[in-house]
Amino acid sequence: MARDRRTDALPDAQADDETDEQGAASVRVTIGQLEIANDHAANLLAVGSAFAEASRVGSDLLVLPEYTSGYDRRGVGPEHAEPLDGPFVRSLAASAAETGVAVVAGTTLPGSRPDRAVNAVVALDASGSLVGVYRKVHLYDAFGQRESDRLEPGAVDAPPLLLRLGGLTFGVLTCYDLRFPESARLLVDAGADVLVCPAAWADGPLKADHWRTLARARAIENTAVVVAVGQAGKGVTGRSLLVGPDGQVGLELSERPELRTADIDPRALAGVRERNPSLANRRYVVRPAEPRS
């Protein structure tokens, strides 16, 4: 499913575009487990370095954490918000176009009111074009936190954010969404082979265990690859994961800032889905819930 390619030890003989006999290309993904600060300009420098490394190892996709544009562990709100044509997304577009590496990254957008913002994830292709935006549906009102005091949720019936690379389709959710299997299943129903989950997963008792367990569960129940990318630093768990469709952890990072790269092979994914056709065998569908009063 995934062959780990450490960014400091990529074999020269490995082709950048590995294609099977049926034309399904493997996709090389770099996990950018960055430590994100309040300082937006400093974060852009870190993102630029991550792009440079992803390009050096021939990656097709760079995945960055939730709130990559700016983060405050006490809470992120309107003071961190930038429009889609602001410095953060413009910088992502420039770096993607320069390096030929697509990117999925968390940011904060202005809300519909001055006292609200939107927790969002953007996806840009290798030309730097914006593919789409996912606005976080499940706000983190749990474990003593209340994102809804500062943020507004995305629409539950919004079209899924999908990014096609090589022989695979990547579907996007973020952080707390990982606790809701319906979010992942909606993406898989829309055609996702790989679930990409940028996060700033808060630390605390059992939280790292929940993160790992939930990532494996979403992979197993959907026979999908899961790329779960967390922030490093104080107050968050780090420990980014790449999980195969059989639930095996192919790549796991520490708590420190780190870049790691792996290849995802569509042939292995197809083999798991053939042996375990649980998606074809299921008898229920997922639909958005009615708004709560």
Side-chain angles (χ1 to χ4, degrees):
M1 184 279 303
R3 290 179 299 282
D4 180 10
R5 304 295 186 195
R6 292 179 181 268
T7 57
D8 57 355
L10 181 68
D12 293 335
Q14 178 66 34
D16 288 348
D17 294 311
E18 181 180 328
T19 305
D20 69 18
E21 62 275 10
Q22 297 178 334
S26 293
V27 178
R28 182 163 293 173
V29 178
T30 293
I31 290 173
Q33 182 171 287
L34 306 183
E35 185 170 357
I36 307 300
N38 262 316
D39 186 336
H40 289 212
N43 295 332
L44 286 179
L45 292 175
V47 169
S49 295
F51 264 108
E53 188 65 6
S55 176
R56 186 183 75 82
V57 298
S59 284
D60 302 292
L61 175 66
L62 171 65
V63 183
L64 300 170
E66 182 183 30
Y67 292 129
T68 299
S69 57
Y71 182 67
D72 187 331
R73 64 189 181 90
R74 297 167 297 183
V76 176
E79 68 279 3
H80 285 285
E82 296 183 12
L84 285 173
D85 60 355
F88 181 70
V89 176
R90 288 203 314 268
S91 179
L92 292 181
S95 292
E98 179 182 354
T99 61
V101 178
V103 63
V104 171
T107 187
T108 306
L109 303 177
S112 61
R113 303 171 6 193
D115 63 340
R116 289 289 186 272
V118 176
N119 183 338
V121 181
V122 294
L124 291 85
D125 65 20
S127 73
S129 297
L130 181 68
V131 174
V133 183
Y134 169 68
R135 293 166 172 84
K136 188 177 183 182
V137 169
H138 296 102
L139 298 184
Y140 186 54
D141 288 358
F143 297 94
Q145 303 292 321
R146 281 192 57 82
E147 275 191 327
S148 62
D149 288 343
R150 303 172 299 276
L151 304 176
E152 59 189 32
V156 297
D157 58 352
L161 176 52
L162 301 173
L163 174 66
R164 183 73 179 176
L165 292 170
L168 295 166
T169 299
F170 293 74
V172 176
L173 64 163
T174 189
C175 203
Y176 191 45
D177 290 328
L178 194 64
R179 292 185 179 272
F180 299 88
E182 300 86 359
S183 291
R185 183 54 57 87
L186 281 170
L187 289 168
V188 171
D189 282 351
D193 306 301
V194 183
L195 301 171
V196 179
C197 185
W201 198 265
D203 64 7
L206 298 178
K207 293 297 294 299
D209 180 65
H210 288 189
W211 167 249
R212 193 178 199 272
T213 300
L214 290 163
R216 293 190 66 222
R218 299 296 84 85
I220 293 167
E221 69 199 7
N222 292 293
T223 53
V225 179
V226 171
V227 181
V229 179
Q231 280 193 34
K234 189 174 182 180
V236 287
T237 60
R239 301 181 180 276
S240 299
L241 298 160
L242 192 152
V243 187
D246 55 2
Q248 296 301 299
V249 177
L251 189 64
E252 186 166 13
L253 279 61
S254 68
E255 299 174 354
R256 302 184 307 276
E258 191 174 0
L259 299 176
R260 292 283 292 277
T261 296
D263 292 338
I264 303 176
D265 185 351
R267 294 169 298 180
L269 172 64
V272 171
R273 288 183 166 178
E274 183 177 0
R275 292 189 299 275
N276 176 20
S278 57
L279 291 176
N281 292 340
R282 67 195 177 96
R283 313 227 4 226
Y284 295 92
V285 297
V286 174
R287 61 180 183 272
E290 294 296 327
R292 288 182 291 180
S293 58

